[in-house]
Amino acid sequence: MTTSELWSQNILGNYGLPPVTLVRGQGARVWDDTGREYLDFSSGIAVLNIGHAHPHWLERVREQAGKLAHCSNLFINENAPRLAEKINAHMGGGKVFFCNSGAEANEALLKLSRLHGMAKAGGEEGKIYKVVTCENAFHGRLFGTMAATPQEKIQHGFRPLMPNVAVAKINDIESFRKLVDDETAAVILECVQGESGLTPATPEFLRELRALCDEKNVLLLCDEIQCGMGRTGTLFGFEQSGVRPDAFSMAKGLGNGFPIGAMWCDDKFAAYVKPGMHGTTFGGNPLATAAALAVFEVFEKENILDNVKRLSPAWRAGLKKIVDANPELCTELRGVGFMSGIRLSEAPAPWIAKLRDAGLLCVPAGNNVVRLLPPLNATQAELDEALAVLSAVFAAK
Ligand SMILES: Cc1ncc(COP(=O)(O)O)c(C=O)c1O
């Protein structure tokens, strides 16, 4: 039986049947089970920020797997506090909670917002707990995060949802002013909306939102799961506006393929959390945190953020040229840095299939965007190769 047949017969139908079986990756390249090579600008949906099988990451993971893979949070491991220290040093303080995925990290943010609401209500539970999210946001598929993801395709079939989530519009501060009130515990947003089509929040909007949250004593929660870990050229997306959230979530690129999520929160709000209030068996285990430490070490040694900053202008100019050359099909260049995409006048799936046939892997976003997520250590030559494929495929319409 082929792997494709095995998948169909045995894997739950929530993903549909993927078109290709991948067996190996190296840097920005992957190979399928027929030996065919692809340039991987899907990066496992913004996960493989330092590319496939990076030697330093591999060495760290291998070494840790042979030493101590797991011990639970009943014991201290050597890596989790070091990783948390790195994140806190970057933020100039705060505390970190480790978990295993993006949705779990956002769930921790939402639980923090309940504690903030309780504090705001003078210690009374269940009084202040409204969360304001954005239209077209994607925060995950657990019960809290799904409620904060106001999309019919995500929520349908799973109602009733977590109550008291209001929906405002990204970059429309007035829509937030109408909803953020004394009954509100938190605002949650992605600094660049990823899944719905690469819409950045403007720096001015983020600064106004920060001021509004301060005025109303509301937590500003940033979802950095996709736009964080260097995707936009700064370690976190909010840094581009100078805004400091009260708490934020990370996952995806944090482990470069080893599942790990994290929530950072300011010391002021960390004080809400007492022993026993939250937890997860695998969270921050030595193997996952070794992988994430390796990612930070590679970022430092190889100046990964500089690579994104240095190569982004030409990459985006190349994409813009393709948009301009195909005005009927390509309607807009979207996104920021290495989190960019081309908006089409039609559904992206057939184009993503054509690009794959031509040797380039990328991902759809929303109803009409072809999303390009190169590894953050991609070279000029790899970016040029992708531009050549995009150009040829779109021109052959
Ligand atoms: C911005 C954002 N938040 C949350 C999630 C959910 O993360 P996970 O799939 O790891 O649960 C995603 C995943 O695509 C995401 O892009």
Side-chain angles (χ1 to χ4, degrees):
M1 216 183 280
T2 64
T3 46
S4 188
E5 287 161 347
L6 275 170
W7 176 292
S8 299
Q9 286 187 21
N10 296 287
I11 301 250
L12 192 66
N14 55 320
Y15 297 114
L17 180 65
V20 171
T21 301
L22 297 179
V23 294
R24 189 165 69 84
Q26 186 64 59
R29 311 220 171 239
V30 284
W31 287 264
D32 71 13
D33 57 353
T34 69
R36 168 123 209 240
E37 180 182 317
Y38 303 86
L39 189 57
D40 184 8
F41 277 28
S42 71
S43 289
I45 322 184
V47 167
L48 291 141
N49 287 8
I50 55 168
H52 293 273
H54 189 287
H56 182 66
W57 180 92
L58 200 55
E59 187 192 308
R60 278 288 228 152
V61 169
R62 273 198 181 129
E63 191 210 341
Q64 190 61 48
K67 208 162 97 179
L68 183 72
H70 180 77
C71 65
S72 89
N73 288 296
L74 296 175
F75 304 93
I76 295 174
N77 74 68
E78 291 179 304
N79 297 333
R82 295 212 166 93
L83 176 60
E85 184 192 31
K86 274 199 187 291
I87 298 165
N88 291 337
H90 185 80
M91 292 305 295
K95 297 277 189 287
V96 176
F97 164 75
F98 289 118
C99 53
N100 314 291
S101 69
E104 267 184 76
N106 283 341
E107 207 73 21
L109 288 178
L110 295 173
K111 286 183 79 170
L112 189 75
S113 81
R114 289 283 172 108
L115 298 180
H116 183 65
M118 190 160 75
K120 194 171 162 177
E124 202 178 326
E125 191 180 11
K127 208 166 164 227
I128 296 181
Y129 58 96
K130 178 158 110 181
V131 172
V132 182
T133 187
C134 287
E135 221 172 75
N136 300 320
F138 185 86
H139 296 299
R141 295 163 180 274
L142 302 182
F143 265 94
T145 53
M146 177 172 62
T149 299
Q151 298 183 38
E152 187 57 21
K153 66 174 190 249
I154 306 286
Q155 297 181 343
H156 179 73
F158 301 110
R159 297 187 175 93
L161 304 173
M162 181 185 85
N164 219 354
V165 177
V167 184
K169 284 196 171 86
I170 194 165
N171 295 329
D172 178 351
I173 193 66
E174 288 313 318
S175 71
F176 277 86
R177 286 212 173 97
K178 281 188 196 127
L179 295 171
V180 174
D181 54 21
D182 294 338
E183 307 296 301
T184 307
V187 161
I188 184 165
L189 87 164
E190 301 153 84
C191 292
V192 185
Q193 290 187 327
E195 293 308 300
S196 65
L198 306 171
T199 307
T202 65
E204 307 78 63
F205 164 74
L206 281 174
R207 287 194 281 267
E208 285 177 320
L209 192 58
R210 175 70 275 180
L212 179 64
C213 289
D214 287 342
E215 186 199 325
K216 299 285 183 186
N217 186 18
V218 161
L219 292 186
L220 178 61
L221 307 176
C222 286
D223 179 339
E224 289 282 330
I225 288 160
Q226 189 160 158
C227 66
M229 292 310 291
R231 268 278 135 211
T232 64
T234 48
L235 189 58
F236 300 115
F238 52 77
E239 286 167 38
Q240 312 224 351
S241 60
V243 159
R244 180 184 168 87
D246 297 310
F248 66 91
S249 54
M250 288 158 267
K252 289 193 185 277
L254 182 60
N256 206 61
F258 203 102
I260 179 169
M263 174 189 74
W264 174 90
C265 64
D266 193 277
D267 285 309
K268 262 191 287 184
F269 310 110
Y272 294 145
V273 182
K274 303 285 183 269
M277 273 184 158
H278 195 45
T280 160
T281 300
F282 296 127
N285 90 10
L287 194 47
T289 46
L293 275 169
V295 170
F296 275 99
E297 285 154 8
V298 171
F299 267 53
E300 284 156 24
K301 267 192 231 147
E302 297 181 17
N303 294 321
I304 297 290
L305 296 176
D306 282 354
N307 195 57
V308 178
K309 280 188 207 132
R310 196 168 49 80
L311 298 184
S312 282
W315 166 238
R316 286 183 55 83
L319 292 173
K320 180 74 171 62
K321 231 166 124 185
I322 291 168
V323 170
D324 292 343
N326 299 280
E328 273 165 37
L329 177 63
C330 304
T331 58
E332 195 185 345
L333 171 63
R334 286 278 186 89
V336 186
F338 277 16
M339 190 174 172
S340 290
I342 294 179
R343 184 165 164 237
L344 304 182
S345 54
E346 51 190 77
W351 291 98
I352 284 173
K354 285 183 202 177
L355 290 164
R356 185 180 64 242
D357 290 344
L360 176 67
L361 301 187
C362 48
V363 210
N367 298 327
N368 51 15
V369 175
V370 170
R371 183 170 26 161
L372 295 147
L373 302 165
L376 308 187
N377 55 359
T379 61
Q380 181 72 62
E382 286 161 345
L383 296 172
D384 288 347
E385 188 182 332
L387 289 173
V389 174
L390 284 159
S391 228
V393 167
F394 287 152
K397 57 193 171 291

